């Protein structure tokens, strides 16, 4: 991670002094610079075996990385007016950091979950070292008791954080260091959406959006930038072939949904108000919305269904399937989701399920 770039970003602070934004950016930069000192201090103590010192180092590392990721989000929002340059969830280690930190540092003695239930976490001190954290969580929900075991490589965690932070800081600096005139990204994105309505997937136009955006912001190949990620979702969806008519209809809906999101994002980047675009709701999704409306408590499980790596993705999905006996189409949809092994496919189906509040079934 480049301390020099952070100093340059600090010197380019264009916010008026004595305003919230001015001091928020200063706080973000300080947190990120402090983070490097803490990471280096941790790496200097890798041979430490004294248990109290080991624990204070591990607790400090997890809390430090947790705060650092918050600082990256806040810095991108405040300097770019959006968070499209940061997509931590695309890195598996960093995506799980929030669960690990909450289990070990935040709420080990009583962690509650949005979907119901409570968890208790204990570290396996005889197996834990500066290089490897080992712990288990006992999850209880009514009569169910599930035990989850985790091993975390701290060196991988630090390396992944540094790689992500470096890319994000570079994009923020590129954004601030020149007057960017975006290349009609929103118009091209709207045009792409309109071709999808005609059941045509214009790869050339999508590639042009990708190339122009990457060039405008000087984006590195290893970036997990959200605009580029949406484009990769669209490419994946176009290669997703189904024979079943209801599933084909659902895939088409997801393509339109992601293209709509791309149009909204590129409009925001260009400081334009996007038009409201609507997509006809497929039959399987209508059935799922009716299933949820029968008992709104079921909605608490939906959020985890787009996250293949969520600790309770599988258990929540199986619970939802067990409730669909009287709704064959909702059952068909959830079993289709269950059959997916691609995190991208899980995300796009789960993302569609999340829209139930905005659509009339």
């Amino acid at each position: 991670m480049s301390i020099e770039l952070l100093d340059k970003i600090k010197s380019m602070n264009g916010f008026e002094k004595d305003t919230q934004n001015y001091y928020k950016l200063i706080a973000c930069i300080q947190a990120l610079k402090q983070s490097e000192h803490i990471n280096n201090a941790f790496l200097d103590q890798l041979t430490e075996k004294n248990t109290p010192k080991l624990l204070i180092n591990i607790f400090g590392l997890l809390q430090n990385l947790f705060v650092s990721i918050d600082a990256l989000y806040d810095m991108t929002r405040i300097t770019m007016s959006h968070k499209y340059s940061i997509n931590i969830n695309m890195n598996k280690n960093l995506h799980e950091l929030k669960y690990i930190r909450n289990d070990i540092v935040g709420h080990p003695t009583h962690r509650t979950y949005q979907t119901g239930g409570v968890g208790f976490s204990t570290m396996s001190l005889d197996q834990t070292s500066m290089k490897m954290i080992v712990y288990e969580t006992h999850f209880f929900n009514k009569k169910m008791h599930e035990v989850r075991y985790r091993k975390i490589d701290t060196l991988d965690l630090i390396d992944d954080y540094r790689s992500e932070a470096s890319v994000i800081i570079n994009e923020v600096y590129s954004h601030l260091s020149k007057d960017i005139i975006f290349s009609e990204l929103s118009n091209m994105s709207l045009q792409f959406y309109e071709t999808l309505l005609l059941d045509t997937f214009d790869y050339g136009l999508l590639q042009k959006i990708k190339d122009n955006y990457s060039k405008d912001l000087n984006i590195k190949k290893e970036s997990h930038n959200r605009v580029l990620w949406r484009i990769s979702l669209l490419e994946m969806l176009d290669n997703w072939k189904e024979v079943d008519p209801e599933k084909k209809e659902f895939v088409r809906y997801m393509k339109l949904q992601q293209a709509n999101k791309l149009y909204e994002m590129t409009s925001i980047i260009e400081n334009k108000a996007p038009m409201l675009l609507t997509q006809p709701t497929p039959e399987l999704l209508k059935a799922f919305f009716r299933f949820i409306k029968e008992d709104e408590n079921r909605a608490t499980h939906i959020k985890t269904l787009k996250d293949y790596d969520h600790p309770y993705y599988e258990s929540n999905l199986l619970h939802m399937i067990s409730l669909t006996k009287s709704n064959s189409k909702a059952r068909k949809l959830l079993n289709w989701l269950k059959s997916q092994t691609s995190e991208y496919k899980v995300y796009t189906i789960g993302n569609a399920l999340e829209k139930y509040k905005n659509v009339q079934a």
Side-chain angles (χ1 to χ4, degrees), residues 92-265:
K92 286 186 179 294
N93 283 331
L94 298 182
H95 176 43
E96 293 192 353
L97 174 63
K98 58 186 174 184
Y99 307 127
I100 297 163
R101 178 265 180 190
N102 285 339
D103 287 343
I104 295 176
V105 180
H107 316 282
T109 61
H110 190 101
R111 185 178 172 201
T112 56
Y113 300 85
Q114 286 184 329
T115 55
V118 62
F120 312 98
S121 297
T122 56
M123 290 180 65
S124 301
L125 294 178
D126 58 330
Q127 299 178 62
T128 295
S129 68
M130 291 288 286
K131 295 182 180 180
M132 185 69 66
I133 304 170
V134 183
Y135 77 98
E136 63 184 48
T137 299
H138 291 261
F139 174 69
F140 291 86
N141 192 353
K142 297 179 180 178
K143 294 182 179 181
M144 185 192 77
H145 175 201
E146 180 183 350
V147 184
R148 296 187 64 89
Y149 300 92
R150 283 181 179 271
K151 288 186 177 182
I152 302 98
D153 187 313
T154 58
L155 301 187
D156 284 349
L157 206 55
I158 293 171
D159 284 346
D160 285 352
Y161 163 73
R162 283 176 163 171
S163 295
E164 290 290 330
S166 178
V167 170
I168 294 161
I169 291 167
N170 182 73
E171 288 185 26
V172 170
Y173 175 71
S174 294
H175 176 81
L176 293 175
S177 62
K178 61 180 180 179
D179 293 327
I180 299 173
I181 301 174
F182 289 101
S183 313
E184 295 296 314
L185 296 173
S186 61
N187 287 341
M188 289 190 288
S189 298
L190 179 59
Q191 183 183 342
F192 178 80
Y193 178 88
E194 290 170 344
T195 64
L196 282 183
L197 289 174
L198 302 174
D199 293 320
T200 299
F201 195 98
D202 191 335
Y203 271 96
L205 181 56
L206 195 61
Q207 187 64 44
K208 187 176 180 181
I209 296 168
K210 182 177 180 179
D211 290 344
N212 286 5
Y213 179 70
S214 298
K215 183 179 178 181
D216 289 340
L217 265 184
N218 190 29
I219 295 175
K220 296 181 178 180
K221 288 183 179 179
E222 59 268 30
S223 173
H224 288 139
N225 186 288
R226 291 176 187 237
V227 172
L228 303 184
W229 176 62
R230 292 285 172 181
I231 290 172
S232 68
L233 290 180
L234 281 162
E235 293 169 341
M236 177 275 296
L237 284 164
D238 192 54
N239 290 313
W240 188 346
K241 307 302 179 186
E242 295 285 349
V243 176
D244 182 278
E246 290 180 326
K247 293 178 182 177
K248 286 175 69 174
E249 181 191 31
F250 200 99
V251 171
R252 182 179 186 273
Y253 170 80
M254 292 189 291
K255 268 194 274 192
L256 288 170
Q257 189 183 29
Q258 296 304 322
N260 185 11
K261 186 63 179 177
L262 178 64
Y263 164 64
E264 289 177 354
M265 293 168 77

Side-chain angles (χ1 to χ4, degrees), residues 13 25 42 70 74 96 130 186 192-193 195 197 199-200 209 222 276 287 289 300-301 322-323 348:
N13 188 341
L25 182 57
F42 183 92
D70 272 355
D74 286 332
E96 293 192 353
M130 291 288 286
S186 61
F192 178 80
Y193 178 88
T195 64
L197 289 174
D199 293 320
T200 299
I209 296 168
E222 59 268 30
L276 178 64
F289 293 153
T300 59
H301 297 279
S322 72
L323 302 175
T348 50

Side-chain angles (χ1 to χ4, degrees), residues 297-311:
N297 290 325
R298 296 168 179 170
T300 59
H301 297 279
I302 293 178
K303 189 173 182 179
T304 61
L305 299 187
K306 67 177 183 181
D307 185 354
Y308 188 68
D309 293 317
H310 192 283

Side-chain angles (χ1 to χ4, degrees), residues 1-11 13 21-39 63-65 67-72 74-75 78-79 161 169:
M1 189 180 78
S2 175
I3 298 295
E4 288 182 8
L5 276 188
L6 286 173
D7 287 334
K8 288 180 180 179
I9 291 170
K10 183 178 179 180
S11 70
N13 188 341
N21 286 345
Y22 179 86
Y23 287 107
K24 186 170 187 175
L25 182 57
I26 295 296
C28 289
I29 290 170
Q30 184 180 67
L32 291 168
K33 291 173 74 172
Q34 288 172 174
S35 170
E36 271 306 279
H37 296 313
I38 295 170
N39 290 336
Q63 184 64 15
N64 173 55
L65 294 177
V67 169
S68 300
I69 288 171
D70 272 355
L72 288 171
D74 286 332
M75 185 174 69
I78 201 171
T79 56
Y161 163 73
I169 291 167

